[in-house]
Amino acid sequence: MARPVNSTKAPANIPRPRTPSQQAENLRRSRRDRAAETAQDYVEAIADLSAAQGRARVVDLARRLGVTHVTVNRTLARLQQSGYVSTKPYQAIFLTDAGRKLAAECKQRHETVTAFLRSLGIPERVAEMDAEGIEHHVSPETLAAFERQLGRLG
């Protein structure tokens, strides 16, 4: 018999937090993860712009990331507090040592995920788009498995 459409019972295969505090912790973790994704995207973009153009500016980041100048400035302030960037008004944006290290890790993770997806026959454009999301969430164990598999293929 088919299940009623308006059923309030959750599907059995979707785990639910058992207590309000567990749900709150899950939501806090989700917000932290999104903040980390943003930091990673920004330092990677700053590194790419600096390598390609010799500098990264707010206008360049806004264009590259598809956000407003205000959003870039707010995010840069957080990245500066976290020790990833150095900024001065109306000047280029520079990565700190910690920012350069994070950018290199992000680039390597992105390249590994993209190469793995490509090894599965995924078209380059699709692999690049998918890697943008996967690279932030892939565990070190899964990333190592991707690398091992790519080593076997090469």
Side-chain angles (χ1 to χ4, degrees), residues 90-112:
Y90 308 105
Q91 293 186 14
I93 303 154
F94 300 97
L95 293 174
T96 63
D97 289 341
R100 281 189 292 280
K101 181 179 182 220
L102 180 59
E105 291 168 359
C106 293
K107 183 178 178 83
Q108 179 60 44
R109 216 173 33 247
H110 180 90
E111 289 173 355
T112 298

mmCIF file with all atom_site columns, all heavy atoms in Angstrom, residues 90-112:
data_model
loop_
_atom_site.group_PDB
_atom_site.id
_atom_site.type_symbol
_atom_site.label_atom_id
_atom_site.label_alt_id
_atom_site.label_comp_id
_atom_site.label_asym_id
_atom_site.label_entity_id
_atom_site.label_seq_id
_atom_site.pdbx_PDB_ins_code
_atom_site.Cartn_x
_atom_site.Cartn_y
_atom_site.Cartn_z
_atom_site.occupancy
_atom_site.B_iso_or_equiv
_atom_site.pdbx_formal_charge
_atom_site.auth_seq_id
_atom_site.auth_comp_id
_atom_site.auth_asym_id
_atom_site.auth_atom_id
_atom_site.pdbx_PDB_model_num
ATOM 1   N N   . TYR A 1 90  ? 42.317 50.239 -0.153 1.00 0.00 ? 90  TYR A N   1
ATOM 2   C CA  . TYR A 1 90  ? 42.701 50.654 -1.500 1.00 0.00 ? 90  TYR A CA  1
ATOM 3   C C   . TYR A 1 90  ? 44.024 50.053 -1.971 1.00 0.00 ? 90  TYR A C   1
ATOM 4   O O   . TYR A 1 90  ? 44.686 50.609 -2.839 1.00 0.00 ? 90  TYR A O   1
ATOM 5   C CB  . TYR A 1 90  ? 42.730 52.190 -1.615 1.00 0.00 ? 90  TYR A CB  1
ATOM 6   C CG  . TYR A 1 90  ? 41.462 52.820 -1.133 1.00 0.00 ? 90  TYR A CG  1
ATOM 7   C CD1 . TYR A 1 90  ? 41.408 53.465 0.096  1.00 0.00 ? 90  TYR A CD1 1
ATOM 8   C CD2 . TYR A 1 90  ? 40.295 52.721 -1.881 1.00 0.00 ? 90  TYR A CD2 1
ATOM 9   C CE1 . TYR A 1 90  ? 40.228 54.025 0.560  1.00 0.00 ? 90  TYR A CE1 1
ATOM 10  C CE2 . TYR A 1 90  ? 39.103 53.275 -1.415 1.00 0.00 ? 90  TYR A CE2 1
ATOM 11  C CZ  . TYR A 1 90  ? 39.080 53.925 -0.206 1.00 0.00 ? 90  TYR A CZ  1
ATOM 12  O OH  . TYR A 1 90  ? 37.902 54.473 0.252  1.00 0.00 ? 90  TYR A OH  1
ATOM 13  N N   . GLN A 1 91  ? 44.408 48.949 -1.389 1.00 0.00 ? 91  GLN A N   1
ATOM 14  C CA  . GLN A 1 91  ? 45.622 48.264 -1.831 1.00 0.00 ? 91  GLN A CA  1
ATOM 15  C C   . GLN A 1 91  ? 45.298 46.804 -2.124 1.00 0.00 ? 91  GLN A C   1
ATOM 16  O O   . GLN A 1 91  ? 44.204 46.332 -1.859 1.00 0.00 ? 91  GLN A O   1
ATOM 17  C CB  . GLN A 1 91  ? 46.714 48.366 -0.767 1.00 0.00 ? 91  GLN A CB  1
ATOM 18  C CG  . GLN A 1 91  ? 47.216 49.787 -0.580 1.00 0.00 ? 91  GLN A CG  1
ATOM 19  C CD  . GLN A 1 91  ? 48.407 49.827 0.367  1.00 0.00 ? 91  GLN A CD  1
ATOM 20  O OE1 . GLN A 1 91  ? 49.004 48.821 0.683  1.00 0.00 ? 91  GLN A OE1 1
ATOM 21  N NE2 . GLN A 1 91  ? 48.738 51.027 0.820  1.00 0.00 ? 91  GLN A NE2 1
ATOM 22  N N   . ALA A 1 92  ? 46.284 46.100 -2.651 1.00 0.00 ? 92  ALA A N   1
ATOM 23  C CA  . ALA A 1 92  ? 46.105 44.685 -2.966 1.00 0.00 ? 92  ALA A CA  1
ATOM 24  C C   . ALA A 1 92  ? 45.920 43.875 -1.681 1.00 0.00 ? 92  ALA A C   1
ATOM 25  O O   . ALA A 1 92  ? 46.235 44.323 -0.581 1.00 0.00 ? 92  ALA A O   1
ATOM 26  C CB  . ALA A 1 92  ? 47.305 44.168 -3.752 1.00 0.00 ? 92  ALA A CB  1
ATOM 27  N N   . ILE A 1 93  ? 45.425 42.669 -1.858 1.00 0.00 ? 93  ILE A N   1
ATOM 28  C CA  . ILE A 1 93  ? 45.202 41.734 -0.754 1.00 0.00 ? 93  ILE A CA  1
ATOM 29  C C   . ILE A 1 93  ? 46.320 40.703 -0.812 1.00 0.00 ? 93  ILE A C   1
ATOM 30  O O   . ILE A 1 93  ? 46.627 40.164 -1.880 1.00 0.00 ? 93  ILE A O   1
ATOM 31  C CB  . ILE A 1 93  ? 43.842 41.031 -0.921 1.00 0.00 ? 93  ILE A CB  1
ATOM 32  C CG1 . ILE A 1 93  ? 42.731 42.070 -1.012 1.00 0.00 ? 93  ILE A CG1 1
ATOM 33  C CG2 . ILE A 1 93  ? 43.600 40.038 0.194  1.00 0.00 ? 93  ILE A CG2 1
ATOM 34  C CD1 . ILE A 1 93  ? 41.526 41.600 -1.769 1.00 0.00 ? 93  ILE A CD1 1
ATOM 35  N N   . PHE A 1 94  ? 46.922 40.430 0.323  1.00 0.00 ? 94  PHE A N   1
ATOM 36  C CA  . PHE A 1 94  ? 48.019 39.477 0.370  1.00 0.00 ? 94  PHE A CA  1
ATOM 37  C C   . PHE A 1 94  ? 47.695 38.326 1.303  1.00 0.00 ? 94  PHE A C   1
ATOM 38  O O   . PHE A 1 94  ? 47.087 38.527 2.363  1.00 0.00 ? 94  PHE A O   1
ATOM 39  C CB  . PHE A 1 94  ? 49.305 40.169 0.851  1.00 0.00 ? 94  PHE A CB  1
ATOM 40  C CG  . PHE A 1 94  ? 49.733 41.287 -0.047 1.00 0.00 ? 94  PHE A CG  1
ATOM 41  C CD1 . PHE A 1 94  ? 49.397 42.593 0.259  1.00 0.00 ? 94  PHE A CD1 1
ATOM 42  C CD2 . PHE A 1 94  ? 50.426 41.035 -1.221 1.00 0.00 ? 94  PHE A CD2 1
ATOM 43  C CE1 . PHE A 1 94  ? 49.764 43.641 -0.569 1.00 0.00 ? 94  PHE A CE1 1
ATOM 44  C CE2 . PHE A 1 94  ? 50.802 42.068 -2.066 1.00 0.00 ? 94  PHE A CE2 1
ATOM 45  C CZ  . PHE A 1 94  ? 50.471 43.378 -1.739 1.00 0.00 ? 94  PHE A CZ  1
ATOM 46  N N   . LEU A 1 95  ? 48.119 37.141 0.921  1.00 0.00 ? 95  LEU A N   1
ATOM 47  C CA  . LEU A 1 95  ? 47.972 35.990 1.802  1.00 0.00 ? 95  LEU A CA  1
ATOM 48  C C   . LEU A 1 95  ? 49.113 35.970 2.800  1.00 0.00 ? 95  LEU A C   1
ATOM 49  O O   . LEU A 1 95  ? 50.251 36.253 2.451  1.00 0.00 ? 95  LEU A O   1
ATOM 50  C CB  . LEU A 1 95  ? 47.994 34.685 0.993  1.00 0.00 ? 95  LEU A CB  1
ATOM 51  C CG  . LEU A 1 95  ? 46.823 34.449 0.053  1.00 0.00 ? 95  LEU A CG  1
ATOM 52  C CD1 . LEU A 1 95  ? 47.058 33.195 -0.789 1.00 0.00 ? 95  LEU A CD1 1
ATOM 53  C CD2 . LEU A 1 95  ? 45.521 34.324 0.838  1.00 0.00 ? 95  LEU A CD2 1
ATOM 54  N N   . THR A 1 96  ? 48.804 35.604 4.023  1.00 0.00 ? 96  THR A N   1
ATOM 55  C CA  . THR A 1 96  ? 49.835 35.377 5.032  1.00 0.00 ? 96  THR A CA  1
ATOM 56  C C   . THR A 1 96  ? 50.411 33.985 4.788  1.00 0.00 ? 96  THR A C   1
ATOM 57  O O   . THR A 1 96  ? 49.948 33.244 3.903  1.00 0.00 ? 96  THR A O   1
ATOM 58  C CB  . THR A 1 96  ? 49.223 35.432 6.443  1.00 0.00 ? 96  THR A CB  1
ATOM 59  O OG1 . THR A 1 96  ? 48.268 34.363 6.546  1.00 0.00 ? 96  THR A OG1 1
ATOM 60  C CG2 . THR A 1 96  ? 48.562 36.773 6.727  1.00 0.00 ? 96  THR A CG2 1
ATOM 61  N N   . ASP A 1 97  ? 51.388 33.592 5.574  1.00 0.00 ? 97  ASP A N   1
ATOM 62  C CA  . ASP A 1 97  ? 51.925 32.229 5.458  1.00 0.00 ? 97  ASP A CA  1
ATOM 63  C C   . ASP A 1 97  ? 50.815 31.205 5.653  1.00 0.00 ? 97  ASP A C   1
ATOM 64  O O   . ASP A 1 97  ? 50.724 30.220 4.916  1.00 0.00 ? 97  ASP A O   1
ATOM 65  C CB  . ASP A 1 97  ? 53.052 31.994 6.466  1.00 0.00 ? 97  ASP A CB  1
ATOM 66  C CG  . ASP A 1 97  ? 54.319 32.759 6.112  1.00 0.00 ? 97  ASP A CG  1
ATOM 67  O OD1 . ASP A 1 97  ? 54.473 33.185 4.946  1.00 0.00 ? 97  ASP A OD1 1
ATOM 68  O OD2 . ASP A 1 97  ? 55.172 32.922 7.016  1.00 0.00 ? 97  ASP A OD2 1
ATOM 69  N N   . ALA A 1 98  ? 49.956 31.427 6.664  1.00 0.00 ? 98  ALA A N   1
ATOM 70  C CA  . ALA A 1 98  ? 48.844 30.509 6.913  1.00 0.00 ? 98  ALA A CA  1
ATOM 71  C C   . ALA A 1 98  ? 47.882 30.495 5.724  1.00 0.00 ? 98  ALA A C   1
ATOM 72  O O   . ALA A 1 98  ? 47.359 29.438 5.350  1.00 0.00 ? 98  ALA A O   1
ATOM 73  C CB  . ALA A 1 98  ? 48.103 30.904 8.184  1.00 0.00 ? 98  ALA A CB  1
ATOM 74  N N   . GLY A 1 99  ? 47.641 31.650 5.131  1.00 0.00 ? 99  GLY A N   1
ATOM 75  C CA  . GLY A 1 99  ? 46.765 31.739 3.967  1.00 0.00 ? 99  GLY A CA  1
ATOM 76  C C   . GLY A 1 99  ? 47.340 31.019 2.763  1.00 0.00 ? 99  GLY A C   1
ATOM 77  O O   . GLY A 1 99  ? 46.618 30.324 2.035  1.00 0.00 ? 99  GLY A O   1
ATOM 78  N N   . ARG A 1 100 ? 48.649 31.169 2.543  1.00 0.00 ? 100 ARG A N   1
ATOM 79  C CA  . ARG A 1 100 ? 49.308 30.468 1.427  1.00 0.00 ? 100 ARG A CA  1
ATOM 80  C C   . ARG A 1 100 ? 49.253 28.960 1.631  1.00 0.00 ? 100 ARG A C   1
ATOM 81  O O   . ARG A 1 100 ? 49.015 28.206 0.684  1.00 0.00 ? 100 ARG A O   1
ATOM 82  C CB  . ARG A 1 100 ? 50.747 30.937 1.264  1.00 0.00 ? 100 ARG A CB  1
ATOM 83  C CG  . ARG A 1 100 ? 50.861 32.285 0.542  1.00 0.00 ? 100 ARG A CG  1
ATOM 84  C CD  . ARG A 1 100 ? 52.306 32.622 0.199  1.00 0.00 ? 100 ARG A CD  1
ATOM 85  N NE  . ARG A 1 100 ? 53.112 32.890 1.377  1.00 0.00 ? 100 ARG A NE  1
ATOM 86  C CZ  . ARG A 1 100 ? 53.127 34.045 2.040  1.00 0.00 ? 100 ARG A CZ  1
ATOM 87  N NH1 . ARG A 1 100 ? 52.367 35.044 1.629  1.00 0.00 ? 100 ARG A NH1 1
ATOM 88  N NH2 . ARG A 1 100 ? 53.887 34.211 3.096  1.00 0.00 ? 100 ARG A NH2 1
ATOM 89  N N   . LYS A 1 101 ? 49.448 28.519 2.875  1.00 0.00 ? 101 LYS A N   1
ATOM 90  C CA  . LYS A 1 101 ? 49.392 27.085 3.171  1.00 0.00 ? 101 LYS A CA  1
ATOM 91  C C   . LYS A 1 101 ? 47.986 26.546 2.908  1.00 0.00 ? 101 LYS A C   1
ATOM 92  O O   . LYS A 1 101 ? 47.823 25.500 2.262  1.00 0.00 ? 101 LYS A O   1
ATOM 93  C CB  . LYS A 1 101 ? 49.792 26.831 4.626  1.00 0.00 ? 101 LYS A CB  1
ATOM 94  C CG  . LYS A 1 101 ? 49.778 25.373 5.008  1.00 0.00 ? 101 LYS A CG  1
ATOM 95  C CD  . LYS A 1 101 ? 50.206 25.171 6.448  1.00 0.00 ? 101 LYS A CD  1
ATOM 96  C CE  . LYS A 1 101 ? 50.216 23.678 6.755  1.00 0.00 ? 101 LYS A CE  1
ATOM 97  N NZ  . LYS A 1 101 ? 49.726 23.340 8.027  1.00 0.00 ? 101 LYS A NZ  1
ATOM 98  N N   . LEU A 1 102 ? 46.959 27.252 3.383  1.00 0.00 ? 102 LEU A N   1
ATOM 99  C CA  . LEU A 1 102 ? 45.586 26.824 3.162  1.00 0.00 ? 102 LEU A CA  1
ATOM 100 C C   . LEU A 1 102 ? 45.257 26.813 1.671  1.00 0.00 ? 102 LEU A C   1
ATOM 101 O O   . LEU A 1 102 ? 44.633 25.873 1.171  1.00 0.00 ? 102 LEU A O   1
ATOM 102 C CB  . LEU A 1 102 ? 44.606 27.725 3.922  1.00 0.00 ? 102 LEU A CB  1
ATOM 103 C CG  . LEU A 1 102 ? 43.128 27.377 3.778  1.00 0.00 ? 102 LEU A CG  1
ATOM 104 C CD1 . LEU A 1 102 ? 42.834 25.961 4.267  1.00 0.00 ? 102 LEU A CD1 1
ATOM 105 C CD2 . LEU A 1 102 ? 42.273 28.394 4.535  1.00 0.00 ? 102 LEU A CD2 1
ATOM 106 N N   . ALA A 1 103 ? 45.688 27.827 0.942  1.00 0.00 ? 103 ALA A N   1
ATOM 107 C CA  . ALA A 1 103 ? 45.424 27.896 -0.502 1.00 0.00 ? 103 ALA A CA  1
ATOM 108 C C   . ALA A 1 103 ? 46.068 26.721 -1.227 1.00 0.00 ? 103 ALA A C   1
ATOM 109 O O   . ALA A 1 103 ? 45.450 26.115 -2.117 1.00 0.00 ? 103 ALA A O   1
ATOM 110 C CB  . ALA A 1 103 ? 45.934 29.217 -1.069 1.00 0.00 ? 103 ALA A CB  1
ATOM 111 N N   . ALA A 1 104 ? 47.290 26.368 -0.855 1.00 0.00 ? 104 ALA A N   1
ATOM 112 C CA  . ALA A 1 104 ? 47.981 25.235 -1.490 1.00 0.00 ? 104 ALA A CA  1
ATOM 113 C C   . ALA A 1 104 ? 47.256 23.924 -1.196 1.00 0.00 ? 104 ALA A C   1
ATOM 114 O O   . ALA A 1 104 ? 47.094 23.078 -2.090 1.00 0.00 ? 104 ALA A O   1
ATOM 115 C CB  . ALA A 1 104 ? 49.430 25.170 -1.012 1.00 0.00 ? 104 ALA A CB  1
ATOM 116 N N   . GLU A 1 105 ? 46.804 23.756 0.043  1.00 0.00 ? 105 GLU A N   1
ATOM 117 C CA  . GLU A 1 105 ? 46.053 22.548 0.404  1.00 0.00 ? 105 GLU A CA  1
ATOM 118 C C   . GLU A 1 105 ? 44.747 22.461 -0.390 1.00 0.00 ? 105 GLU A C   1
ATOM 119 O O   . GLU A 1 105 ? 44.386 21.389 -0.877 1.00 0.00 ? 105 GLU A O   1
ATOM 120 C CB  . GLU A 1 105 ? 45.741 22.543 1.904  1.00 0.00 ? 105 GLU A CB  1
ATOM 121 C CG  . GLU A 1 105 ? 46.955 22.343 2.781  1.00 0.00 ? 105 GLU A CG  1
ATOM 122 C CD  . GLU A 1 105 ? 46.682 22.639 4.257  1.00 0.00 ? 105 GLU A CD  1
ATOM 123 O OE1 . GLU A 1 105 ? 45.533 23.019 4.615  1.00 0.00 ? 105 GLU A OE1 1
ATOM 124 O OE2 . GLU A 1 105 ? 47.622 22.496 5.055  1.00 0.00 ? 105 GLU A OE2 1
ATOM 125 N N   . CYS A 1 106 ? 44.072 23.594 -0.524 1.00 0.00 ? 106 CYS A N   1
ATOM 126 C CA  . CYS A 1 106 ? 42.807 23.634 -1.262 1.00 0.00 ? 106 CYS A CA  1
ATOM 127 C C   . CYS A 1 106 ? 43.028 23.308 -2.733 1.00 0.00 ? 106 CYS A C   1
ATOM 128 O O   . CYS A 1 106 ? 42.258 22.549 -3.337 1.00 0.00 ? 106 CYS A O   1
ATOM 129 C CB  . CYS A 1 106 ? 42.146 25.004 -1.137 1.00 0.00 ? 106 CYS A CB  1
ATOM 130 S SG  . CYS A 1 106 ? 41.593 25.394 0.521  1.00 0.00 ? 106 CYS A SG  1
ATOM 131 N N   . LYS A 1 107 ? 44.067 23.881 -3.304 1.00 0.00 ? 107 LYS A N   1
ATOM 132 C CA  . LYS A 1 107 ? 44.372 23.641 -4.711 1.00 0.00 ? 107 LYS A CA  1
ATOM 133 C C   . LYS A 1 107 ? 44.673 22.165 -4.944 1.00 0.00 ? 107 LYS A C   1
ATOM 134 O O   . LYS A 1 107 ? 44.178 21.562 -5.898 1.00 0.00 ? 107 LYS A O   1
ATOM 135 C CB  . LYS A 1 107 ? 45.545 24.509 -5.152 1.00 0.00 ? 107 LYS A CB  1
ATOM 136 C CG  . LYS A 1 107 ? 45.884 24.383 -6.622 1.00 0.00 ? 107 LYS A CG  1
ATOM 137 C CD  . LYS A 1 107 ? 47.036 25.306 -6.988 1.00 0.00 ? 107 LYS A CD  1
ATOM 138 C CE  . LYS A 1 107 ? 47.426 25.176 -8.420 1.00 0.00 ? 107 LYS A CE  1
ATOM 139 N NZ  . LYS A 1 107 ? 46.596 25.968 -9.309 1.00 0.00 ? 107 LYS A NZ  1
ATOM 140 N N   . GLN A 1 108 ? 45.468 21.565 -4.060 1.00 0.00 ? 108 GLN A N   1
ATOM 141 C CA  . GLN A 1 108 ? 45.808 20.155 -4.195 1.00 0.00 ? 108 GLN A CA  1
ATOM 142 C C   . GLN A 1 108 ? 44.563 19.277 -4.073 1.00 0.00 ? 108 GLN A C   1
ATOM 143 O O   . GLN A 1 108 ? 44.363 18.356 -4.853 1.00 0.00 ? 108 GLN A O   1
ATOM 144 C CB  . GLN A 1 108 ? 46.849 19.747 -3.139 1.00 0.00 ? 108 GLN A CB  1
ATOM 145 C CG  . GLN A 1 108 ? 47.234 18.279 -3.201 1.00 0.00 ? 108 GLN A CG  1
ATOM 146 C CD  . GLN A 1 108 ? 47.838 17.891 -4.532 1.00 0.00 ? 108 GLN A CD  1
ATOM 147 O OE1 . GLN A 1 108 ? 48.669 18.593 -5.076 1.00 0.00 ? 108 GLN A OE1 1
ATOM 148 N NE2 . GLN A 1 108 ? 47.404 16.771 -5.079 1.00 0.00 ? 108 GLN A NE2 1
ATOM 149 N N   . ARG A 1 109 ? 43.720 19.578 -3.094 1.00 0.00 ? 109 ARG A N   1
ATOM 150 C CA  . ARG A 1 109 ? 42.487 18.821 -2.904 1.00 0.00 ? 109 ARG A CA  1
ATOM 151 C C   . ARG A 1 109 ? 41.595 18.935 -4.143 1.00 0.00 ? 109 ARG A C   1
ATOM 152 O O   . ARG A 1 109 ? 41.050 17.942 -4.626 1.00 0.00 ? 109 ARG A O   1
ATOM 153 C CB  . ARG A 1 109 ? 41.762 19.348 -1.658 1.00 0.00 ? 109 ARG A CB  1
ATOM 154 C CG  . ARG A 1 109 ? 41.065 18.305 -0.885 1.00 0.00 ? 109 ARG A CG  1
ATOM 155 C CD  . ARG A 1 109 ? 40.477 18.735 0.441  1.00 0.00 ? 109 ARG A CD  1
ATOM 156 N NE  . ARG A 1 109 ? 39.983 20.074 0.528  1.00 0.00 ? 109 ARG A NE  1
ATOM 157 C CZ  . ARG A 1 109 ? 40.516 21.023 1.290  1.00 0.00 ? 109 ARG A CZ  1
ATOM 158 N NH1 . ARG A 1 109 ? 41.569 20.780 2.030  1.00 0.00 ? 109 ARG A NH1 1
ATOM 159 N NH2 . ARG A 1 109 ? 40.000 22.219 1.316  1.00 0.00 ? 109 ARG A NH2 1
ATOM 160 N N   . HIS A 1 110 ? 41.456 20.161 -4.657 1.00 0.00 ? 110 HIS A N   1
ATOM 161 C CA  . HIS A 1 110 ? 40.635 20.391 -5.849 1.00 0.00 ? 110 HIS A CA  1
ATOM 162 C C   . HIS A 1 110 ? 41.182 19.600 -7.035 1.00 0.00 ? 110 HIS A C   1
ATOM 163 O O   . HIS A 1 110 ? 40.418 18.945 -7.761 1.00 0.00 ? 110 HIS A O   1
ATOM 164 C CB  . HIS A 1 110 ? 40.590 21.889 -6.177 1.00 0.00 ? 110 HIS A CB  1
ATOM 165 C CG  . HIS A 1 110 ? 39.771 22.205 -7.380 1.00 0.00 ? 110 HIS A CG  1
ATOM 166 N ND1 . HIS A 1 110 ? 38.430 22.480 -7.312 1.00 0.00 ? 110 HIS A ND1 1
ATOM 167 C CD2 . HIS A 1 110 ? 40.099 22.274 -8.688 1.00 0.00 ? 110 HIS A CD2 1
ATOM 168 C CE1 . HIS A 1 110 ? 37.963 22.714 -8.530 1.00 0.00 ? 110 HIS A CE1 1
ATOM 169 N NE2 . HIS A 1 110 ? 38.964 22.587 -9.376 1.00 0.00 ? 110 HIS A NE2 1
ATOM 170 N N   . GLU A 1 111 ? 42.479 19.655 -7.237 1.00 0.00 ? 111 GLU A N   1
ATOM 171 C CA  . GLU A 1 111 ? 43.092 18.942 -8.370 1.00 0.00 ? 111 GLU A CA  1
ATOM 172 C C   . GLU A 1 111 ? 42.904 17.434 -8.243 1.00 0.00 ? 111 GLU A C   1
ATOM 173 O O   . GLU A 1 111 ? 42.640 16.752 -9.232 1.00 0.00 ? 111 GLU A O   1
ATOM 174 C CB  . GLU A 1 111 ? 44.567 19.302 -8.481 1.00 0.00 ? 111 GLU A CB  1
ATOM 175 C CG  . GLU A 1 111 ? 44.788 20.717 -8.970 1.00 0.00 ? 111 GLU A CG  1
ATOM 176 C CD  . GLU A 1 111 ? 46.240 21.170 -8.929 1.00 0.00 ? 111 GLU A CD  1
ATOM 177 O OE1 . GLU A 1 111 ? 47.108 20.417 -8.416 1.00 0.00 ? 111 GLU A OE1 1
ATOM 178 O OE2 . GLU A 1 111 ? 46.513 22.284 -9.415 1.00 0.00 ? 111 GLU A OE2 1
ATOM 179 N N   . THR A 1 112 ? 43.045 16.912 -7.025 1.00 0.00 ? 112 THR A N   1
ATOM 180 C CA  . THR A 1 112 ? 42.860 15.471 -6.813 1.00 0.00 ? 112 THR A CA  1
ATOM 181 C C   . THR A 1 112 ? 41.426 15.056 -7.103 1.00 0.00 ? 112 THR A C   1
ATOM 182 O O   . THR A 1 112 ? 41.182 14.077 -7.813 1.00 0.00 ? 112 THR A O   1
ATOM 183 C CB  . THR A 1 112 ? 43.250 15.078 -5.371 1.00 0.00 ? 112 THR A CB  1
ATOM 184 O OG1 . THR A 1 112 ? 44.633 15.368 -5.177 1.00 0.00 ? 112 THR A OG1 1
ATOM 185 C CG2 . THR A 1 112 ? 42.999 13.612 -5.107 1.00 0.00 ? 112 THR A CG2 1
#
